[in-house]
Amino acid sequence: MDGKINDVLGGRGILSIAPNELSAPIELLMELTWKCNLKCVHCMMNAEYCPENEPEDGELTTEEIKGIIDRACELGVAHIDFSGGEPLLRKDIFEILEYSSKKGVEPCLLSNGTLITEEVAKKLKEVGVYKIELNLDGHTAELYDSFRGVKGAFDKTITAIKAVQKAGIPLRVNSMLCKPLYPYFEDIIEYAGQLGIVELCFVPLRIAGQTVENYDKLAYTPLEYAEMLPRITDIKIKMQEKYKMVILFLGDTDIGNYINPNSMFPSCGAGRLHCTIGADGSVRPCPAFPQEEEFIAGNIRERDIADIWQNAEIFKKLRNPNISGCDTCENKSCVGGCRVQSLWKYGDVMQGPEPYCEKVITKEMKKTLLG
């Protein structure tokens, strides 16, 4: 086992994996609404298009959300990511964010940005938002709007980026690494650099929501992805030097040093380090997990979040270190990689390795080269 893991945990394994389970999540992601004012081709949530601030029956109320924040505070949760749908469609969003901030549970806002003006950004700063994540799926309006499904989305997003920067809120910008955007990889980074963005993450596709229907036109096979990595890495090195920004993507050797420097966490934190609370209070390992009974750990309207976290069968399963197919691998901190990818490949979250496993890809490339 990795020496760094031994140093951190006294040889007992990996943090959050049995027998080192956490009594509560480090982080929560709360999907505040099913509604969204965009129609993205890759939406994991299958959010319902709604350009107006209309509440949806069954969504958590303001008081229910405050109750979750209270409990998160008691359990020592470090921060909450507030997402949707589009969270800014909720009329109580500033009240929710301010409540979380005052409780000492740092609020991060995950937004498409189209509703963020200078006035909104200033308000987000005032209520204590510690970080915002926006998107940059293209460097032109034509490319971005086609990906996000609504004309004018690009211009509003750029307005949001500039407004957040002006307000002085730390900003991360995400871009999907997929077939329609890959040819413009360098252009997107160049544009981000010109905007003064300091953290840019190329997010891997997860098979969920709209991605299921659009998978073939969006996703690369693991072998195709591996063939792209050298070019992506070269561009990253060049652009990081030019603009002094942090650039992250799946398969990058630097990403582990950035987010997990001591290799003390599993590569996939779903149900191990964090979990997702849906707009109706249902709890599942992460946003990409299917909203099906088998993967629903419980509902905070019926059970305490600590009870769900500690006792739900799906969470117990995910914390088992014994991933079939990964038994002999020396990279113990991986713990099989992304469990959703494995679920779609094998039909089992406890089967491995995941399709984009570096060792599997290397093996396949060698087979291809040798004929």
Side-chain angles (χ1 to χ4, degrees):
M1 184 173 291
D2 191 299
K4 293 180 181 178
I5 297 174
N6 280 319
D7 291 342
V8 174
L9 296 174
R12 295 195 304 271
I14 303 157
L15 193 64
S16 80
I17 299 297
N20 304 304
E21 300 98 324
L22 303 179
S23 61
I26 293 174
E27 173 186 11
L28 288 176
L29 187 145
M30 292 192 65
E31 298 170 335
L32 296 180
T33 180
W34 291 301
K35 300 286 189 180
C36 188
N37 59 335
L38 296 184
K39 295 181 282 187
C40 304
V41 296
H42 67 293
C43 178
M44 287 194 298
M45 193 184 192
N46 263 339
E48 182 180 348
Y49 176 65
C50 177
E52 304 297 333
N53 297 44
E54 296 178 9
E56 176 79 4
D57 290 341
E59 291 181 351
L60 294 168
T61 66
T62 309
E63 292 309 309
E64 285 177 317
I65 293 169
K66 287 182 177 180
I68 296 171
I69 295 170
D70 287 339
R71 196 70 181 104
C73 179
E74 293 168 357
L75 293 171
V77 174
H79 70 269
I80 301 177
D81 296 326
F82 292 97
S83 71
E86 173 48 52
L88 286 170
L89 283 173
R90 283 193 66 127
K91 295 178 181 178
D92 57 359
I93 184 62
F94 296 112
E95 181 180 352
I96 291 168
L97 294 170
E98 184 172 35
Y99 190 82
S100 183
S101 178
K102 287 183 175 179
K103 278 289 181 175
V105 185
E106 294 183 321
C108 174
L109 182 69
L110 279 56
S111 170
N112 62 41
T114 58
L115 300 176
I116 298 180
T117 59
E118 283 195 12
E119 182 181 357
V120 170
K122 183 179 178 182
K123 181 67 173 175
L124 291 170
K125 176 71 171 180
E126 290 172 354
V127 300
V129 171
Y130 91 96
K131 189 172 186 177
I132 293 177
E133 292 191 22
L134 301 176
N135 309 298
L136 191 63
D137 298 305
H139 62 298
T140 65
E142 181 181 6
L143 180 61
Y144 189 91
D145 292 353
S146 66
F147 196 76
R148 292 283 166 177
V150 173
K151 189 174 178 60
F154 177 76
D155 291 339
K156 291 179 180 178
T157 298
I158 301 306
T159 295
I161 289 172
K162 293 177 179 178
V164 170
Q165 291 171 324
K166 184 176 180 180
I169 305 173
L171 172 67
R172 177 172 123 174
V173 172
N174 299 316
S175 184
M176 298 304 300
L177 188 50
C178 57
K179 285 182 180 178
L181 301 185
Y182 172 68
Y184 310 101
F185 183 78
E186 186 167 1
D187 296 319
I188 292 170
I189 298 175
E190 186 81 51
Y191 190 61
Q194 292 169 3
L195 288 170
I197 291 165
V198 297
E199 185 180 356
L200 178 63
C201 182
F202 285 87
V203 182
L205 280 170
R206 293 293 180 245
I207 310 174
Q210 290 291 337
T211 306
V212 176
E213 182 178 338
N214 297 313
Y215 189 75
D216 288 341
K217 68 180 182 181
L218 291 176
Y220 284 102
T221 67
L223 189 56
E224 288 173 333
Y225 188 79
E227 291 170 346
M228 296 187 317
L229 279 179
R231 175 177 179 261
I232 294 173
T233 302
D234 288 344
I235 294 172
K236 172 205 159 173
I237 293 170
K238 180 175 71 173
M239 290 299 186
Q240 278 193 157
E241 177 63 26
K242 182 176 181 179
Y243 289 109
K244 310 302 180 186
M245 70 168 79
V246 174
I247 303 172
L248 303 170
F249 57 86
L250 180 68
D252 177 18
T253 54
D254 291 337
I255 194 168
N257 295 329
Y258 186 74
I259 65 175
N260 189 14
N262 291 315
S263 300
M264 62 187 293
F265 303 123
S267 61
C268 174
R272 299 160 170 173
L273 299 169
H274 57 78
C275 64
T276 294
I277 300 177
D280 61 351
S282 59
V283 182
R284 61 193 195 279
C286 83
F289 264 82
Q291 298 183 47
E292 300 171 3
E293 185 176 355
E294 180 183 356
F295 306 109
I296 301 297
N299 193 298
I300 55 88
R301 284 172 164 162
E302 301 166 357
R303 294 168 59 191
D304 180 67
I305 184 63
D307 177 38
I308 295 173
W309 176 260
Q310 294 167 15
N311 299 307
E313 286 303 314
I314 182 62
F315 288 164
K316 288 182 177 180
K317 181 182 286 190
L318 289 169
R319 293 165 194 162
N320 187 328
N322 300 313
I323 304 294
S324 178
C326 299
D327 317 68
T328 60
C329 181
E330 67 277 10
N331 185 12
K332 302 301 180 183
S333 64
C334 175
V335 199
C338 175
R339 295 296 81 213
V340 169
Q341 296 282 27
S342 286
L343 174 64
W344 282 97
K345 181 174 181 178
Y346 308 108
D348 184 357
V349 295
M350 295 307 294
Q351 179 68 44
E354 70 139 291
Y356 292 87
C357 167
E358 182 180 340
K359 291 194 171 183
V360 172
I361 291 174
T362 301
K363 185 178 178 180
E364 290 301 313
M365 289 186 74
K366 286 180 179 179
K367 284 169 58 177
T368 301
L369 291 172
L370 295 173

